[in-house]
Amino acid sequence: MKKPLMAGNWKMNKTVLEAIEFTKTLKNTISDIANVEVLICPAFTALYAVSNEIRGSNINLGSQNFFWESKGAFTGEISPVMIKDVGCSYVIIGHSERRQYFAETNEAVNKKIKAAFTVTLKPIVCVGETLKEREDNVTSKVIEKQIREGLFGLTLEQASSVVIAYEPVWAIGTGKTASPDQAQEIHHFIRKIYEQMYSKDISNKLRILYGGSVNSKNVSDLMNKPDIDGGLVGGASLEVESFTKLIRYFK
Ligand code: PEP
């Protein structure tokens, strides 16, 4: 059985003190949770403090990004080694905001996924279409390209530890959610691509998260779908109460 994953992407929010406060409270509110993997992805500045706070708890730590080189003259960048060193087990790669505002390409995503494996970080690879692409009926083409180019050259073992997050760009932070059927259709499609690229077994074990305005009202309809294995959550992960409701859905 795949363990569902509920991941919070805090984006560029929370000071160190706010992050500590959140984490202390979350630790208590979900201490009984064992059947869902819980992940929080704070800003770089709060990673160290949150890492200390989650020690011995059921909360995992992830980074929202990194650069693919392990060290050197790359002013302003953070390496996979540093992310691992600070206590992260996951890294989000290719979030649509990085693709949109920081010109991150499928090629860069590929380099980052491979870099994650050099330090045994588990990549959460984000894919998704823009509104225009959906209206132009090229959603599946876009997603297939993001996956095939992003994951190019991975070994079967590496492909087995990737998590994919399907995040329609038009649903992120907009309050618009893909309908459960729309999401299921794409999740199923992603699983089929994975089967073609790797194997049925690897594809069946792949965790595919849905992201895009997930909240306590729509979580149950989305997570009930057979190919949805958890969520990547922005806005609703910023308050302990709303994030806890999403985690507790699986209980
Ligand atoms: C995200 O940041 O990945 C996201 C899905 O954001 P939101 O839940 O706010 O739409």
Side-chain angles (χ1 to χ4, degrees):
M1 247 311 254
K2 275 177 289 188
K3 201 174 193 180
L5 172 63
M6 193 51 80
N9 170 18
W10 290 359
K11 311 193 186 193
M12 200 170 69
N13 291 292
K14 295 194 190 298
T15 62
V16 174
L17 282 180
E18 288 165 350
I20 292 174
E21 185 78 4
F22 176 103
T23 311
K24 276 188 198 300
T25 315
L26 183 68
K27 236 177 10 182
N28 290 329
T29 61
I30 64 157
S31 58
D32 59 324
I33 296 280
N35 56 346
V36 48
E37 207 176 337
V38 177
L39 172 68
I40 49 179
C41 302
F44 288 137
T45 47
L47 285 175
Y48 185 71
V50 172
S51 176
N52 285 331
E53 211 48 63
I54 61 170
R55 201 159 293 136
S57 78
N58 54 358
I59 303 173
N60 297 281
L61 187 66
S63 156
Q64 300 170 19
N65 182 35
F66 61 25
F67 185 51
W68 58 76
E69 293 289 347
S70 56
K71 63 175 179 176
F74 302 101
T75 302
E77 293 296 334
I78 307 268
S79 81
V81 176
M82 293 164 176
I83 293 303
K84 182 75 182 181
D85 178 55
V86 81
C88 290
S89 47
Y90 283 90
V91 56
I92 299 173
I93 296 179
H95 190 281
S96 67
E97 286 151 17
R98 298 225 45 94
R99 294 180 189 260
Q100 193 180 345
Y101 304 129
F102 303 97
E104 207 156 285
T105 59
N106 291 337
E107 195 189 355
V109 166
N110 184 251
K111 285 185 176 159
K112 289 186 179 192
I113 296 173
K114 287 176 176 162
F117 287 124
T118 63
V119 288
T120 63
L121 279 168
K122 284 173 259 182
I124 299 178
V125 182
C126 302
V127 298
E129 80 288 2
T130 62
L131 185 57
K132 168 123 187 21
E133 287 163 344
R134 179 159 279 266
E135 285 169 352
D136 289 349
N137 277 323
V138 291
T139 299
S140 42
K141 212 168 142 192
V142 168
I143 285 165
E144 180 157 6
K145 189 169 157 63
Q146 287 171 334
I147 294 179
R148 288 194 184 271
E149 291 182 5
L151 275 61
F152 181 77
L154 296 196
T155 64
L156 294 184
E157 197 190 342
Q158 288 170 338
S160 306
S161 64
V162 166
V163 175
I164 302 275
Y166 169 55
E167 299 206 306
V169 179
W170 49 271
I172 297 179
T174 58
K176 290 185 196 148
T177 323
S179 71
D181 287 340
Q182 277 174 325
Q184 165 60 24
E185 187 189 355
I186 303 298
H187 280 231
H188 186 69
F189 175 68
I190 292 171
R191 214 175 286 289
K192 283 281 157 213
I193 299 172
Y194 229 71
E195 187 180 327
Q196 284 169 17
M197 289 174 74
Y198 306 110
S199 71
K200 195 162 180 60
D201 183 48
I202 292 176
S203 155
N204 284 340
K205 289 181 183 146
L206 171 71
R207 286 188 296 182
I208 311 175
L209 313 182
Y210 171 77
S213 300
V214 175
N215 58 42
S216 57
K217 291 198 174 75
N218 58 32
V219 66
S220 128
D221 287 344
L222 285 162
M223 300 302 144
N224 259 327
K225 291 291 178 188
D227 287 303
I228 303 186
D229 309 304
L232 178 56
V233 185
S237 76
L238 290 173
E239 301 296 332
V240 173
E241 200 186 333
S242 48
F243 193 43
T244 301
K245 279 186 187 155
L246 304 186
I247 295 163
R248 287 205 171 275
Y249 159 75
F250 291 99
K251 206 167 150 39

